[in-house]
Amino acid sequence: MKKVKKAIIPAAGLGTRFLPATKAMPKEMLPILDKPTIQYIVEEAIESGIEDIIIVTGKGKRAIEDHFDSAYELEQTLISKEKFDLLKKVQEPSKLVDIHYIRQKEPKGLGHAVWCARNFIGNEPFAVLLGDDIVQAETPCLKQLINEYDRTHSSVIGVKRVPDNETNRYGIIDPIEQQGRSFQVKNFVEKPEIEKAPSNLAIIGRYVFTPDIFMFLDKQEVGAGGEIQLTDSIQNLNKIQRVFAYEFEGNRYDVGEKLGFIETTIEFALKNKDLKENLLKFLKSKIEEHEHF
Ligand code: UTP
């Protein structure tokens, strides 16, 4: 059985929820503390054993390529000023792994973005990681899915329970059978109405696929929201071969929308020993201030 060694990171979306910040800057470059969100994703892929990454980019996304490239002038300046700690931080992203890029000419949807990387993947199993979710776990989230792929030899979709009133924001699974954290799935439904959601197990930005998913992505069928949806192809793939959902362990942070982004920033800052004390003081003062209203 072929091992999962390649990953696709789609990053060609318009990032409308963060406009105007994302007018000229990719949303994937928005930082949590001092690191762009996409670097957390690349690090998770590497820690999961991925050897080759392809990032699907689009218009206005050059900053992502620059971030994972070397920055000669900046590095020379830091060397001449003997700022070696900063030099290490600047060099780190370019040393992580081999990163390849492909352009999605139009943001036609997540399914289309994955399809754009088909020639890079060829006839191998592969992973997809979305930058909207950062997961912190003892065993990296993608590694948990790859372990499940190795066990089942089938595509595996990462899921997490979400509050019942938020099911309309996600792809939701309709599970038939559960074995530990692994589910056999009857249907994958994109953004169901809250009353019609078959469960509260939501698809969260981490996938492992057999290359057969491309048979369905090739058809380029347009689904919900006028976009070529990845969930529709997963649903079709599940009709010809088993697709499992895996409820991964770990904390998931939704950095693709404003409140989640702010919460993640606060949580990560509270884990940082240089920031924790002063941030807590600030937060306490804000709570007191707002309790008067
Ligand atoms: P999102 O819908 O969360 O990203 O897609 P978005 O469209 O950039 O953001 P909003 O909703 O307008 O704020 C999930 C992931 O899929 C990528 C996005 O870059 C994001 O990482 N994507 C989406 C593409 O690469 N191409 C697309 O056509 C759509």
Side-chain angles (χ1 to χ4, degrees):
M1 190 187 63
K2 284 186 183 158
K3 291 270 173 204
V4 182
K5 292 289 170 203
K6 291 180 180 172
I8 303 174
I9 302 180
L14 297 175
T16 53
R17 283 170 286 178
F18 283 94
L19 281 170
T22 47
K23 185 178 171 196
M25 185 181 66
K27 90 169 168 186
E28 295 77 11
M29 288 301 294
L30 293 172
I32 300 295
L33 301 190
D34 51 9
K35 208 192 276 186
T37 52
I38 194 160
Q39 191 175 332
Y40 290 93
I41 307 302
V42 168
E43 287 173 356
E44 182 189 322
I46 295 164
E47 283 160 18
S48 303
I50 295 297
E51 292 172 0
D52 274 302
I53 292 177
I54 189 161
I55 300 181
V56 184
T57 67
K59 202 168 173 294
K61 300 279 183 168
R62 280 284 298 279
I64 297 177
E65 292 179 46
D66 288 343
H67 181 70
F68 292 107
D69 197 357
S70 57
Y72 182 75
E73 282 172 17
L74 176 60
E75 288 172 26
Q76 291 307 313
T77 307
L78 293 172
I79 290 169
S80 68
K81 293 187 173 169
E82 297 186 3
K83 299 204 165 173
F84 297 113
D85 276 3
L86 284 179
L87 179 68
K88 192 165 166 260
K89 284 192 179 184
V90 163
Q91 288 177 331
E92 215 170 49
S94 62
K95 291 186 170 167
L96 285 172
V97 72
D98 265 348
I99 300 187
H100 312 260
Y101 299 91
I102 187 132
R103 301 264 293 200
Q104 183 189 23
K105 293 194 184 83
E106 265 179 75
K108 290 184 180 176
L110 176 58
H112 182 257
V114 172
W115 176 82
C116 288
R118 67 201 177 284
N119 291 334
F120 172 81
I121 299 297
N123 195 27
E124 288 179 36
F126 65 99
V128 175
L129 301 98
L130 304 190
D132 279 357
D133 296 291
I134 294 178
V135 182
Q136 295 223 307
E138 217 164 284
T139 304
C141 176
L142 182 63
K143 179 71 187 147
Q144 297 177 46
L145 266 54
I146 292 175
N147 290 344
E148 185 64 4
Y149 168 83
D150 289 341
R151 188 181 77 81
T152 59
H153 305 186
S154 302
S155 298
V156 181
I157 314 299
V159 294
K160 198 90 184 146
R161 290 189 190 276
V162 297
D164 289 343
N165 62 354
E166 288 181 16
T167 44
N168 58 350
R169 287 177 41 203
Y170 298 90
I172 298 288
I173 65 159
D174 185 357
I176 329 173
E177 213 181 288
Q178 181 175 4
Q179 197 190 346
R181 293 183 162 269
S182 182
F183 295 86
Q184 276 196 47
V185 182
K186 189 166 152 212
N187 284 310
F188 294 85
V189 197
E190 185 60 31
K191 300 192 174 86
E193 287 170 37
I194 291 170
E195 311 75 51
K196 291 187 183 158
S199 75
N200 64 352
L201 287 160
I203 301 174
I204 304 288
R206 298 291 185 277
Y207 314 78
V208 174
F209 290 116
T210 62
D212 304 307
I213 188 85
F214 288 118
M215 282 195 300
F216 300 101
L217 290 173
D218 277 344
K219 294 188 179 139
Q220 309 257 315
E221 277 165 14
V222 173
E227 296 196 341
I228 298 171
Q229 297 285 357
L230 183 59
T231 311
D232 293 342
S233 289
I234 299 172
Q235 166 74 357
N236 286 326
L237 181 65
N238 193 37
K239 288 179 189 156
I240 60 158
Q241 56 183 236
R242 293 182 309 177
V243 176
F244 287 92
Y246 188 78
E247 190 179 355
F248 56 83
E249 280 178 73
N251 293 328
R252 169 242 171 186
Y253 300 94
D254 180 0
V255 295
E257 52 98 27
K258 279 182 212 138
L259 183 61
F261 189 87
I262 295 164
E263 287 170 354
T264 311
T265 302
I266 292 172
E267 179 121 10
F268 280 45
L270 289 173
K271 287 180 185 163
N272 180 306
K273 63 177 178 9
D274 296 334
L275 298 172
K276 183 177 173 178
E277 202 182 315
N278 285 334
L279 178 61
L280 271 176
K281 270 190 209 151
F282 171 78
L283 292 173
K284 278 182 192 154
S285 77
K286 284 290 138 193
I287 290 168
E288 279 163 23
E289 202 179 303
H290 286 268
E291 271 171 356
H292 293 305
F293 293 102

